[in-house]
Amino acid sequence: MASVRQAGGPCQAWPGDGGFVREVLDRIGDKWTVLTISTLSSGSLRYSDLQASVVGISQRMLTQTLKHLERDGLIVRTAYAEVPPRVEYALTDLGRSLVDAVRGMVDWAVAHHGEVAGNRAVSAVRGVGRERGRVG
Amino acid sequence: MASVRQAGGPCQAWPGDGGFVREVLDRIGDKWTVLTISTLSSGSLRYSDLQASVVGISQRMLTQTLKHLERDGLIVRTAYAEVPPRVEYALTDLGRSLVDAVRGMVDWAVAHHGEVAGNRAVSAVRGVGRERGRVG
DNA sequence: CTGTATCCAGTTTGATACTG
DNA sequence: CAGTATCAAACTGGATACAG
C-alpha cells in the first residue's frame, strides 16, 4: 500500500467525517461515560445503584457524567417526589444505539487484549520506542 | 423495563469483560490514538504527513501516540537510513482489525451527531441539568 | 437519597527550544 | 526530516463538607 494523501489539504480521518469523530470521542471516549451507559444497557437504575455498579466512580464524576448524557439526549432522568427521594436513569433510543455502536469496540478489546499485552511485553524487552532498527 | 442488578456484587459493564474494556478505553479511547490509526487506515504515512493529517495534534502528542501504538503492535515503524531521514508508519493486521471495530462508533458519530447537537441545544434552552421536572 | 460546592494533587497537553 | 527535552497552563478527578 502506498502513501496516500487526500487532495485539498489535511486528510479527513474518515470518509464523511466533518470533525464529528473527534467531537464524539471527546464525549463518549471518556471512560466514565462509556461505563455508565453500558451499565444502563441492562435497564434503568437509581443514582445510588449506578454509583455502586460503576466501580470506582466518584460522586462528582457520576453526577457530571449523568448530566452530560442527559443533556445530549442519551439518557432520561425521572425524579419521583417521594420521601426519601428517588431518581431513575434510563437510556433513550439514541443512547441504546450508541451502546450497539460501542459494542464492536468492546468485542475487539475482549478478543485482542491478550495479543496487545503480549506485544507490549515483547516491546519492553526489545526496547521498542527507544532504539531504532534501520532499513535501507 | 425494571431496575436490574446483576447478582454477586457490582455489575460488569459487559458480559465477558474482565476489566479489558476500561483498559482498552484508556488506550484507544484517547482521541489522538483513534485519529492517528484512522488516518493510517488509508495507507502508510511519514511522520510529517501524519502531523499534517491529524489536525491539531502537537509534535509531542504525535510522537507519544506513535510510540504507544508501536509498543502495542498496532502499527509498525520503518526508518530508512537516507538523507534527509525518512520514517514510515503503517498499520499492522491487529491495527487494521481495530479500525474495523472502531468504524461502528464512527458511523454512529456521523449518523447521530446532528441529533446530539440538537438535544444539547434544546437542553440549554430548557435548562436540563439545572431545574427538575417532578413526577409522582 | 440525591445531589452541590470547594479544595487540591496529579495528569495531560501545547508551546518552545534544541539535536542527530 | 524526525524527533527529544523542558516548562507552565489547563484540565481531571478524588476527597470532603454541606444542602434540599
Side-chain angles (χ1 to χ4, degrees):
Chain A
M1 224 190 281
S3 205
V4 175
R5 188 79 181 269
Q6 266 91 327
C11 303
Q12 285 300 339
W14 307 81
D17 173 23
F20 313 139
V21 175
R22 163 97 177 249
E23 192 183 323
V24 96
L25 239 52
D26 283 344
R27 186 153 313 276
I28 71 104
D30 167 52
K31 68 184 172 195
W32 295 130
T33 298
V34 176
L35 289 171
T36 300
I37 65 161
S38 64
T39 299
L40 284 172
S41 67
S42 316
S44 66
L45 286 173
R46 312 178 51 158
Y47 184 88
S48 52
D49 288 334
L50 275 168
Q51 187 156 30
S53 297
V54 182
V55 180
I57 198 170
S58 66
Q59 202 170 36
R60 178 195 165 118
M61 284 301 103
L62 178 57
T63 298
Q64 184 178 308
T65 301
L66 289 172
K67 281 193 171 179
H68 285 160
L69 289 173
E70 187 192 6
R71 218 177 44 136
D72 290 352
L74 267 35
I75 64 174
V76 284
R77 186 190 116 114
T78 310
Y80 299 88
E82 303 172 353
V83 52
R86 180 165 59 98
V87 180
E88 295 254 338
Y89 293 91
L91 288 178
T92 60
D93 287 341
L94 185 59
R96 268 184 291 277
S97 72
L98 178 55
V99 173
D100 292 337
V102 170
R103 185 119 37 199
M105 220 174 61
V106 175
D107 291 342
W108 185 91
V110 173
H112 296 288
H113 77 97
E115 200 172 345
V116 169
N119 287 331
R120 202 176 312 169
V122 171
S123 297
V125 173
R126 296 194 48 229
V128 171
R130 304 196 57 76
E131 60 184 70
R132 295 88 177 281
R134 287 299 170 84
V135 175
Chain B
M1 222 189 284
S3 203
V4 175
R5 189 78 179 271
Q6 265 91 326
C11 305
Q12 284 299 339
W14 276 282
D17 174 21
F20 315 140
V21 175
R22 166 100 175 247
E23 190 183 324
V24 96
L25 237 52
D26 283 343
R27 185 155 313 276
I28 71 104
D30 167 51
K31 69 184 172 193
W32 295 130
T33 299
V34 176
L35 289 172
T36 300
I37 65 160
S38 64
T39 299
L40 285 172
S41 68
S42 316
S44 65
L45 287 174
R46 314 177 51 156
Y47 184 89
S48 53
D49 288 334
L50 275 167
Q51 186 156 30
S53 298
V54 182
V55 180
I57 197 171
S58 66
Q59 203 169 34
R60 178 193 168 118
M61 285 300 103
L62 178 57
T63 299
Q64 183 178 309
T65 301
L66 289 172
K67 282 193 173 179
H68 286 159
L69 289 173
E70 187 192 5
R71 219 177 43 139
D72 290 353
L74 267 38
I75 65 173
V76 285
R77 184 190 118 113
T78 310
Y80 298 88
E82 304 171 353
V83 50
R86 180 165 60 98
V87 180
E88 295 254 338
Y89 293 92
L91 289 177
T92 60
D93 286 341
L94 185 60
R96 267 185 292 277
S97 73
L98 177 56
V99 172
D100 291 337
V102 169
R103 185 117 39 199
M105 217 175 63
V106 174
D107 291 343
W108 185 91
V110 173
H112 297 289
H113 78 96
E115 200 172 344
V116 170
N119 287 331
R120 201 176 314 169
V122 171
S123 297
V125 173
R126 297 193 47 230
V128 171
R130 304 196 56 76
E131 60 185 69
R132 296 85 178 284
R134 287 298 170 87
V135 174

